[in-house]
Amino acid sequence: MEVFLLGAVVFLAGGFAFINGFHDVSNSIATSIRTRALTPTVAVLLAALFNLVGALMSASVATLFTGDSISLPTGQSGLGILLAALLAACAWGIFTWYRGKPSSSTHALIGGLIGAGGAAAVLGGESIAGSGRVFLLEIGLPLLLSPLIAYLLAYVVVFPATWLLRHNSPRKVNNGNRMAQAVLTAAFALGHGLQDGQRTMAVIVLALVGAGLYSGSDIPLWVQVFAAVLLAGGSLLGGWRITHTLSNRLVRIDPLRGMAAQGVSAVMLFVGALSLNMPLSSTHTMTSAIVGAGANQRYATVRGRVVRSVLLVWITTAPATALLAAILFLAMSPLL
């Protein structure tokens, strides 16, 4: 049973990376396609390539999850928690993609882990252990604050960008910003690979440790390659439902504001992954930056009904996946 559970966890972790790829590729390509900086085909290929490179570049955020923050029980109970959490996160990713709503796969996974861990504790078994302070300050707080920071930075960055370009013709400004967007599409995809590819790596390492097949917290090379390839493969599918929401339904966006949103989001992902070693949601970061940059024109351009529906999805992501994962773990408990 333990070997079967380990295989199921690795398989679902790959599925989680693949779903994450086609779900979140919209964040990289939406504004570039909307402003015609790139064609859809070129944008998707560029995003997939740099997702792959980013996931292979570093594993610093993954080691945060496999270190002091999260410690799962060994054996079948720990593998069952991971399996239930992955099932819930994958189901939520497919549901929100179908509804065309951008949502955080990181929030979904963490919610699933908390829910399945809570169900394990209710049954009287071992649950998730770790440093609550580390979890709050290094995982929870960055994920909660990143949307607000991205919104404010994108809103403010438009002012100096507009001032610097004030003497140029609109055509020259738009063409220049479209060229910048092409570069920033690759940069954001690289940051997305640095951030989101490492969630899958962390889950697989936690599963290997729980099965007694690995004793360290570092990420083995095969795990890194496995996650990177599946993330890039999912990115090739495009995720057009969410792309339409980000590019057309949230706010009216032009090349300058698209450039500002992509630039702010890419920098935040790089700083989080390479400097602070903190997880940031690429979905929350990019969506908030798009709304912030678009609102700089005037708040009337923001489509409030759509933004409220997206916020509702964000608020319910962790509770929904926690509840689903708890139900799944309870259903699996007779086998564990």
Side-chain angles (χ1 to χ4, degrees):
M1 177 57 71
E2 193 166 303
V3 173
F4 171 78
L5 288 173
L6 176 61
V9 168
V10 173
F11 176 80
L12 276 174
F16 175 75
F18 191 85
I19 292 170
N20 181 285
F22 82 77
H23 190 283
D24 287 5
V25 69
S26 309
N27 303 325
S28 302
I29 66 176
T31 57
S32 295
I33 293 175
R34 177 67 179 85
T35 61
R36 299 180 181 178
L38 295 170
T39 65
T41 300
V42 171
V44 167
L45 290 174
L46 199 63
L49 172 63
F50 281 91
N51 266 324
L52 177 68
V53 174
L56 292 173
M57 275 181 60
S58 173
S60 57
V61 178
T63 56
L64 175 67
F65 284 86
T66 58
D68 296 332
S69 302
I70 298 176
S71 178
L72 293 174
T74 57
Q76 296 181 19
S77 178
L79 293 172
I81 290 173
L82 288 176
L83 188 60
L86 284 169
L87 282 169
C90 289
W92 186 256
I94 293 172
F95 170 73
T96 52
W97 162 79
Y98 180 76
R99 299 291 298 174
K101 304 296 184 185
S103 67
S104 170
S105 57
T106 307
H107 284 224
L109 181 60
I110 291 176
L113 288 171
I114 292 172
V122 168
L123 293 177
E126 292 183 86
S127 184
I128 298 175
S131 170
R133 181 177 177 275
V134 171
F135 186 87
L136 176 63
L137 295 181
E138 296 191 16
I139 296 179
L141 201 58
L143 289 172
L144 292 174
L145 290 180
S146 58
L148 178 61
I149 295 172
Y151 176 91
L152 293 175
L153 286 177
Y155 186 92
V156 170
V157 160
V158 174
F159 289 111
T162 304
W163 184 82
L164 289 171
L165 298 170
R166 67 192 187 279
H167 296 307
N168 295 296
S169 68
R171 179 171 181 169
K172 185 176 180 181
V173 169
N174 287 336
N175 288 339
N177 282 308
R178 287 190 181 103
M179 292 177 63
Q181 278 190 277
V183 175
L184 290 171
T185 296
F188 182 87
L190 189 69
H192 177 261
L194 281 167
Q195 284 281 347
D196 286 44
Q198 300 187 44
R199 317 294 189 261
T200 300
M201 302 175 201
V203 168
I204 295 176
V205 169
L206 287 172
L208 293 172
V209 171
L213 299 177
Y214 190 68
S215 58
S217 60
D218 294 334
I219 309 300
L221 179 61
W222 74 266
V223 173
Q224 201 169 353
V225 172
F226 177 76
V229 169
L230 285 169
L231 181 71
S235 301
L236 290 173
L237 294 183
W240 302 113
R241 290 175 181 268
I242 299 175
T243 300
H244 177 69
T245 299
L246 292 176
S247 61
N248 295 297
R249 299 185 62 204
L250 286 173
V251 66
R252 188 168 65 244
I253 202 85
D254 57 29
L256 186 146
R257 287 168 177 81
M259 179 273 297
Q262 286 181 300
V264 165
S265 303
V267 168
M268 287 184 63
L269 293 183
F270 280 124
V271 171
L274 299 178
S275 179
L276 302 178
N277 296 333
M278 288 182 174
L280 299 178
S281 169
S282 59
T283 299
H284 287 194
T285 302
M286 177 56 84
T287 306
S288 300
I290 289 173
V291 176
N296 183 280
Q297 302 166 86
R298 58 180 186 275
Y299 286 104
T301 62
V302 178
R303 296 176 175 89
R305 183 180 61 82
V306 179
V307 172
R308 286 191 294 271
S309 69
V310 170
L311 288 175
L312 180 62
V313 169
W314 290 4
I315 292 169
T316 56
T317 292
T321 53
L323 178 60
L324 180 56
I327 294 171
L328 290 170
F329 184 86
L330 292 173
M332 292 188 297
S333 60
L335 302 175
L336 302 177

